[in-house]
Amino acid sequence: MSSGGIGRASALLASGTLVSRALGFIKSIVLVIAIGQFTIAGNAFALATQLPNNIYALVAGGLLSAILVPQIVRARLHDDGGQAYINKIVTLGAMSFLVIAALATLAASLLVSLYARSGEGQAFTADGIALAVAFAAWCLPQIFFYALYSLLGQVLNAHGAFGAFTWAPVVNNVVALTGLGIFIAVYGDASTNGTTDVWDAPRIALLAGTATLGVASQALILAAFWKRAGLTFRVDFGWRGVGLRRTGTAAGWTFGMILVTQVAGVFQSNTASLAANGGASLSVLQNSWLIFMLPHSVIAVSIATAYFTRMSTHASTGDLKSVRDDVSSSLRHVGVLIVFSSIALIVVAFPFARVFEVPFDNVTSMALVIIAYVIGLVPFSAAFVLQRALFSLEDTRAPFFIEVAKSSTFVIGALAIAFLLSPDAPEWIGVCLALLMTLTCTLQAVLTFIILRRRVGPIGGALLLRRHVQYLVAGLLSAAVGVGILVTLGGLTPDGFAQSDRIPAILSMGVIGSGMLIVYFGVLLAMKNPEASGALEKVTSRFRRR
């Protein structure tokens, strides 16, 4: 894929992701209106949706993308263009995850008890756990549909058809938003739905069932795009003869990585559940993570996904120099936008939290969690790009050991947080967990860079450092302007304009972000930074064509 092709693919991916994430934010805000964020019901639903989402994030970010894209690129060299391989691997994957989803649903009670602690004064009472189990029974089938979405989408990505995979989540959010609208019309808002005693079977089925229906719609709509991409599918259980043993070897290491990450997730969830009722617990962490993931998904995932197919092609022919060039280029193009995004999100954290919450104490609690997460956005996105480079080399062994180091560090840190902060300072548990995530993501990025450099040779570390110093200097200058606007608009005081309601908070974020963006790119253009110039040229050229 040419540089122009990567630019077009990245833009298509970014636009779809941006629309999807915008609808996702609206969905999260409406969900908070419906059941609350600092409530027992809010935390119970967050836990129930976290279970399938954890598995999906691992599958989409590791297992299927690590294995399928390089293998399909290689299989396309066969006489049938890889069709036999696609039939077999999709059949195998769909059957496997159907069984996994069924077993997980049957084990809903066990999974909920594994991920959360209950007891007096903690986020989950016995009634809260029971409600989470009821939600989970409806939500855990999402595992199959998330996996099917990833299977079908990664095949499309390997064939250069990126748009459907990115735009399909829009359908999910529309369906879920419709369900939430009906729920509020029938059952009211968080003032009546925040406690556990009102949750009967129809109320649970409407909220959790429409959430699962949205995920199913997201997966099934991809089937319509296969024909447009020139793909067909036939169920095929004959799994010998097309290199599945090689795929299985790669899968073994990746499943190990999944297992290690899940262990860390269990410790994170249990530690978060120690927060007292009304503190920043699972629901706050989940929504703060959604904010964190917005720039990563729109920028890093879009650019890295477009580069990944090209890296896999270069790696399959042994062209390591081109792989190195792809890694360096992708890191620089991701960095120029991610550095600004991280600094801007830190500045607008308080107005952003006001979009979700009303009491200023709750706004402050959520804003601090957002800031703690966003500090680690740059290393998190860098690790994502570097890991994709290893996957393009069909190396899943190194990412496994890197994940062991990362997750071990996280588990030790989570235990320390639980020991030191509970029960004396539970209000800081969420913030400390977010900071711990930042620390472990930085460790992951450093280790992955070192190992990748040993595999492919020098990646241009001096150039990458020089560029990121430029990004940081421009970012800090833009932050000074942003903080000035934030204080002027009253974003840090409960009676200020930016804290008065959701609309003023959103308007304030727009004003602050616009001012910061002008300063950031102005400084980089004065430095004659090529990535900033290239990004602006792509934007202006699109407007000129229109």
Side-chain angles (χ1 to χ4, degrees), residues 3 16 23 40 58 77 113 157 358 386 394 413 420 437 470 541:
S3 297
L23 289 173
I40 296 176
L58 293 167
L77 301 176
S113 63
N157 285 348
V358 177
L386 294 167
E394 299 185 38
L420 295 173
M437 180 63 70
Q470 290 179 340
S541 65

Side-chain angles (χ1 to χ4, degrees), residues 101-343:
L103 293 175
T105 303
L106 292 173
S109 179
L110 176 63
L111 288 172
V112 168
S113 63
L114 181 66
Y115 273 81
R117 301 185 186 185
S118 63
E120 185 179 352
Q122 296 184 6
F124 287 102
T125 61
D127 289 342
I129 289 291
L131 181 58
V133 171
F135 283 142
W138 281 94
C139 292
L140 283 166
Q142 295 174 15
I143 294 170
F144 169 72
F145 296 110
Y146 276 135
L148 186 63
Y149 162 73
S150 294
L151 275 167
L152 301 180
Q154 292 299 347
V155 172
L156 288 169
N157 285 348
H159 284 76
F162 299 102
F165 184 67
T166 305
W167 283 89
V170 172
V171 179
N172 177 3
N173 287 319
V174 169
V175 172
L177 272 170
T178 302
L180 284 171
I182 296 172
F183 179 88
I184 292 174
V186 175
Y187 294 112
D189 60 16
S191 61
T192 57
N193 297 317
T195 58
T196 58
D197 56 323
V198 299
W199 286 91
D200 53 15
R203 193 179 301 229
I204 292 169
L206 178 57
L207 181 65
T210 52
T212 297
L213 180 61
V215 178
S217 302
Q218 170 182 295
L220 297 176
I221 198 171
L222 285 186
F225 289 91
W226 269 44
K227 188 175 182 180
R228 292 180 59 183
L231 295 167
T232 58
F233 174 69
R234 178 176 59 84
V235 175
D236 189 349
F237 293 98
W239 297 327
R240 292 187 177 182
V242 290
L244 290 180
R245 178 174 295 179
R246 181 175 185 169
T247 301
T249 301
W253 288 109
T254 311
F255 270 121
M257 185 171 66
I258 289 173
L259 179 61
V260 171
T261 309
Q262 285 287 13
V263 170
V266 169
F267 277 87
Q268 179 187 26
S269 183
N270 275 275
T271 303
S273 71
L274 291 171
N277 285 325
S281 188
L282 288 173
S283 185
V284 174
L285 286 169
Q286 191 176 91
N287 286 326
S288 298
W289 183 256
L290 181 68
I291 295 169
F292 170 91
M293 286 297 291
L294 175 63
H296 173 76
S297 300
V298 173
I299 299 166
V301 174
S302 300
I303 294 175
T305 300
Y307 268 98
F308 183 43
T309 301
R310 190 168 82 168
M311 280 192 284
S312 298
T313 303
H314 289 152
S316 68
T317 61
D319 187 358
L320 295 185
K321 180 182 182 304
S322 294
V323 173
R324 292 197 299 269
D325 292 342
D326 290 339
V327 172
S328 178
S329 178
S330 58
L331 284 172
R332 285 182 278 114
H333 284 89
V334 167
V336 69
L337 299 174
I338 285 293
V339 170
F340 170 76
S341 299
S342 62
I343 293 174

Side-chain angles (χ1 to χ4, degrees), residues 271 285 368-369 372 410 413-414 417 421 425 427-438:
T271 303
L285 286 169
L368 292 177
V369 173
F410 188 91
I417 291 170
L421 299 182
E427 67 274 12
W428 290 102
I429 287 178
V431 175
C432 289
L433 282 173
L435 286 173
L436 179 60
M437 180 63 70
T438 290

Side-chain angles (χ1 to χ4, degrees), residues 20-37 42 45 49 173 176-177 180 184 207 283-284 286-291 352 355-357 366 502:
S20 174
R21 289 287 173 174
L23 289 173
F25 273 116
I26 296 172
K27 181 183 72 175
S28 297
I29 294 167
V30 176
L31 179 63
V32 170
I33 293 172
I35 62 175
Q37 187 176 220
F45 191 71
T49 56
N173 287 319
L177 272 170
L180 284 171
I184 292 174
L207 181 65
S283 185
V284 174
Q286 191 176 91
N287 286 326
S288 298
W289 183 256
L290 181 68
I291 295 169
F352 218 147
V355 175
F356 288 84
E357 288 296 331
M366 185 175 183
R502 287 191 174 94

